[in-house]
Amino acid sequence: MKFKKLLLSMGVVAALISGGCSKQKKQAEPILTKTQVIKKAQKTFKSGQAKQVVNLRTDTSSQVVASNFTFGGDPTVFHLNYQTENNQSKKNSHSMDEWISNTGNLYINGQSTWYKAEVAKTTGHTYADLLDAILNNEMLMDPPSKLINAYQMKRSGRTYTLTAKITDKEVMKAAVAPIFQTNTQSQQQQKIYNKLAKAGKFQDMTVKLVVKGNKLATFKYNVNLKIGKLMRLSAGQSYANIGSRDFLKLPSNALDAKPLPKANKKK
């Protein structure tokens, strides 16, 4: 009898243990709505990579202006590789490697010497403009209702993909504004962008947003314009590797940078 009671008590203990384990199992995460996915993407991020591209082309020629940003740190530092490519003339193609900090200066690494210059005077935009264009981009952080409504969502496990196609002119104008502001290396470049946009007709805009594991994974958009009968212009911005450069710092050698020599205008 005592043996039977012992077996019974052991069975009760085993049942309690197995019951406790089943209660401790993680519950499946709820499926997010489109609105919730957008909010997850808007969580403040400190670092990552971003790219701005403006492409002006005809049937026979093209010119691409691209700014590749690595950004991060506190306060935010931008490491920029700026490139222009012309498929007809290599003389009009060049690249620049720069660092931009909250001091309002940009730092250029020469062959053996660092140089510095004021961002606004050199590029036509400010450090604050970069923060607005990259970290606080309206299409991502405060999307217009027409974009939100246009988003179509697909889910694969914990990965949510939102895509949209927009034809609203005001939304497209707002989308290209930060690109035209900061994808520049001269004070005149933004004016040229704006003249082209004014002469052109906005056609459409494509957008893709991916949230994975409750965090922003990628975001990109591209706006297409038609200028006259022969020219096409596209302007886009994209993000990747979010959270990969939280501790980015200005190179220590840049702190001893010399003023950038002024260009000699004499022929």
Side-chain angles (χ1 to χ4, degrees):
M1 183 65 71
K2 289 183 178 180
F3 181 70
K4 288 183 178 181
K5 288 183 179 180
L6 178 61
L7 288 176
L8 180 61
S9 62
M10 289 177 64
V12 171
V13 171
L16 290 173
I17 292 174
S18 62
C21 290
S22 62
K23 289 181 180 179
Q24 292 177 3
K25 288 183 179 179
K26 291 184 178 179
Q27 295 182 348
E29 291 189 8
I31 296 175
L32 302 178
T33 65
K34 182 172 72 173
T35 301
Q36 289 173 327
V37 171
I38 294 171
K39 288 183 177 179
K40 295 286 186 183
Q42 293 170 339
K43 287 184 177 180
T44 301
F45 51 88
K46 290 177 60 178
S47 69
Q49 292 176 302
K51 184 174 184 178
Q52 296 177 336
V53 178
V54 174
N55 186 358
L56 181 64
R57 62 195 182 278
T58 66
D59 291 339
T60 59
S61 65
S62 69
Q63 185 178 51
V64 178
V65 181
S67 294
N68 292 276
F69 300 94
T70 299
F71 61 94
D74 185 20
T76 304
V77 173
F78 295 92
H79 182 197
L80 164 64
N81 180 260
Y82 173 88
Q83 298 176 325
T84 63
E85 295 181 3
N86 190 314
N87 71 339
Q88 287 190 327
S89 174
K90 291 184 178 180
K91 291 182 180 180
N92 294 328
S93 301
H94 69 279
S95 64
M96 293 286 291
D97 189 74
E98 304 168 350
W99 292 76
I100 300 173
S101 74
N102 67 323
T103 62
N105 289 327
L106 65 80
Y107 300 85
I108 303 171
N109 188 5
Q111 292 182 348
S112 59
T113 305
W114 280 87
Y115 297 97
K116 67 179 179 181
E118 289 185 44
V119 176
K121 289 183 178 180
T122 307
T123 66
H125 61 75
T126 66
Y127 174 82
D129 290 332
L130 283 176
L131 292 178
D132 285 341
I134 306 300
L135 273 75
N136 301 313
N137 187 277
E138 180 182 354
M139 294 300 112
L140 176 62
M141 304 307 290
D142 188 21
S145 59
K146 290 182 179 179
L147 174 55
I148 294 174
N149 294 335
Y151 270 135
Q152 299 294 318
M153 185 172 75
K154 291 184 179 180
R155 181 179 70 90
S156 177
R158 299 182 68 201
T159 300
Y160 295 82
T161 302
L162 272 59
T163 56
K165 186 171 183 178
I166 297 290
T167 56
D168 184 88
K169 182 178 179 180
E170 295 306 315
V171 174
M172 290 188 282
K173 287 175 66 176
V176 300
I179 301 171
F180 289 171
Q181 180 71 38
T182 54
N183 188 31
T184 60
Q185 281 289 297
S186 72
Q187 295 178 338
Q188 298 300 317
Q189 203 164 352
Q190 184 189 7
K191 295 179 181 179
I192 295 172
Y193 286 153
N194 289 333
K195 284 182 179 179
L196 289 171
K198 188 175 181 180
K201 180 180 179 181
F202 285 86
Q203 293 187 300
D204 57 52
M205 168 182 172
T206 55
V207 188
K208 183 177 181 180
L209 184 154
V210 179
V211 168
K212 186 175 182 179
N214 291 322
K215 294 181 180 180
L216 176 66
T218 61
F219 176 69
K220 62 181 179 180
Y221 65 84
N222 192 73
V223 178
N224 295 304
L225 296 88
K226 182 179 180 181
I227 305 170
K229 294 182 179 181
L230 300 176
M231 298 179 69
R232 300 287 188 276
L233 185 147
S234 63
Q237 182 160 312
S238 60
Y239 295 82
N241 298 320
I242 301 299
S244 61
R245 300 290 191 278
D246 283 359
F247 304 101
L248 188 67
K249 291 183 179 181
L250 191 71
S252 57
N253 292 343
L255 300 177
D256 298 322
K258 299 178 180 180
L260 182 67
K262 294 183 179 180
N264 189 355
K265 297 182 180 180
K266 292 182 181 181
K267 294 183 181 181

